[in-house]
Amino acid sequence: QVQLVESGGGLVQAGGSLRVSCVSSGPTFSSYVMGWFRQAPGKEREFVAGISTGGVNTYYKDSVKGRFTVSRDNAKNMVYLQMNSLQPEDTAVYFCAAGTTTQRMIRLGRMDYWGKGTLVTVSS
């Protein structure tokens, strides 16, 4: 069983930056593709970013490309999402998730394990 715990959320002004982190329990972290998702108030959860097991391949939702960067540290069982140039529409609960499927399925949210999320609020 994999447990994921997010941290680093908070309140930031538009144009600012924030880094959210996720720590995973268990010895098999490096075997999972990791993803970041978000759910804004009144909206469905959506894919934000994904990173391959070794961290070489990354992919993003179009609206965050060039502003967000996903990375991981397998030695620390950590995955990060650096968010720059934040906008009010980025306000959401951000979740990390672990999976063993394809990029297409990951973009659809077909993950095996989920954290409980951390709230990011961007004020205008």
Side-chain angles (χ1 to χ4, degrees), residues 52-123:
S52 60
T53 54
V56 173
N57 297 315
T58 59
Y59 38 97
Y60 301 90
K61 174 181 173 65
D62 284 348
S63 64
V64 308
K65 283 181 182 177
R67 299 190 298 125
F68 290 11
T69 302
V70 59
S71 62
R72 66 189 297 164
D73 184 339
N74 285 345
K76 296 181 178 179
N77 283 14
M78 297 286 296
V79 63
Y80 308 96
L81 184 68
Q82 176 68 42
M83 302 181 289
N84 299 328
S85 301
L86 282 161
Q87 300 301 317
E89 53 265 34
D90 295 315
T91 294
V93 176
Y94 283 72
F95 301 88
C96 73
T100 56
T101 185
T102 63
Q103 180 184 149
R104 177 174 174 271
M105 290 293 105
I106 289 169
R107 286 179 178 270
L108 293 174
R110 304 293 195 263
M111 306 297 274
D112 299 316
Y113 302 100
W114 293 85
K116 294 183 178 181
T118 185
L119 177 62
V120 173
T121 304
V122 185
S123 63

